[in-house]
Amino acid sequence: MPVSTAETAHRPPSPYRQARRGGRTAKRAIDVLGAAVLLLLVAPVLLAAAIAVKVDTPGPLLFRQRRTGWRGKEFEVLKLRTMGVGAERLRAAMSVRNEADGHLFKIRDDPRVTAVGRWLRRYSLDELPQLVNVLKGQMSLVGPRPLPVGDSAFTGEARRRLLVRPGLTGLWQVSGRSDLAWEDALRLDLEYVDAWSIRLDLTILLRTLPAVLRGDGAY
């Protein structure tokens, strides 16, 4: 029976295909257990951060955004709100100040970011609600970061990012974060997809805390 274009578009390269049979089950088990334990451990920090967001500026506690995940499926990513209400409507006007390239959008001194939001971003505390996305199976603890662009935006080699669930952290996050150009970030993401293993995931997780505490490239 011929294989459809849709199926071949998401067919993983052989290293990942060989490892995923038992490995993906183990990865998912680690995700669920790890996210549940982390939520319990960071609950006091998350509560304090949530109170700070509510006290700092008016608006919702959580920021919800549609992003593209595994196999091109869209989902709603969760973050603590770090910008003022209506910040997304100003994005087009702010594009002339974008310091990133490709599918990235970063402004080092973005005026839309609140005082509390700047602090949360520095230590990635705004990302903690994404542990819920991990529990729901929309994300993994480790993988390429989900981006706020549609499935059709991923063409050529970039499409291989969608072969794994997006992650709370990844090679990109422990290797420079927002200081990386899109080409470098994509190279690291594809390196992760091709070389994926449980050992690599654990290595990245161990490197994440020092990277977060340094705050390098976080804005």
Side-chain angles (χ1 to χ4, degrees), residues 37 62 79 138 158 162 215 217:
V37 171
L62 293 177
K79 299 180 68 175
Q138 298 163 329
L162 308 180

Side-chain angles (χ1 to χ4, degrees), residues 33-44 46 128-132 135:
L33 180 60
V37 171
L38 284 172
L39 271 175
L40 289 175
L41 292 176
V42 304
L46 190 54
L128 290 179
Q130 288 167 34
L131 289 168
V132 175
L135 287 175

Side-chain angles (χ1 to χ4, degrees), residues 22-102:
R24 275 181 55 186
T25 300
K27 180 177 175 68
R28 181 63 188 144
I30 292 172
D31 283 343
V32 172
L33 180 60
V37 171
L38 284 172
L39 271 175
L40 289 175
L41 292 176
V42 304
V45 176
L46 190 54
L47 177 60
I51 292 173
V53 170
K54 293 299 290 184
V55 171
D56 185 41
T57 55
L61 173 62
L62 293 177
F63 171 68
R64 304 168 185 267
Q65 188 179 56
R66 301 295 296 179
R67 299 199 180 186
T68 301
W70 185 39
R71 296 186 175 179
K73 297 177 182 177
E74 288 192 0
F75 68 100
E76 191 172 64
V77 75
L78 302 175
K79 299 180 68 175
L80 287 174
R81 181 175 57 83
T82 60
M83 294 184 175
V85 175
E88 280 295 284
R89 294 195 296 271
L90 300 175
R91 176 165 174 156
M94 299 291 294
S95 61
V96 294
R97 297 182 56 180
N98 184 21
E99 300 173 25
D101 60 348

Side-chain angles (χ1 to χ4, degrees), residues 5-6 48 56 60 82 88-89 96 121 150 155 162 170 191 198 204 209 218:
T5 303
D56 185 41
T82 60
E88 280 295 284
R89 294 195 296 271
V96 294
R121 286 183 171 210
T155 58
L162 308 180
E191 181 181 323
I198 294 296
I204 292 172
L209 183 58

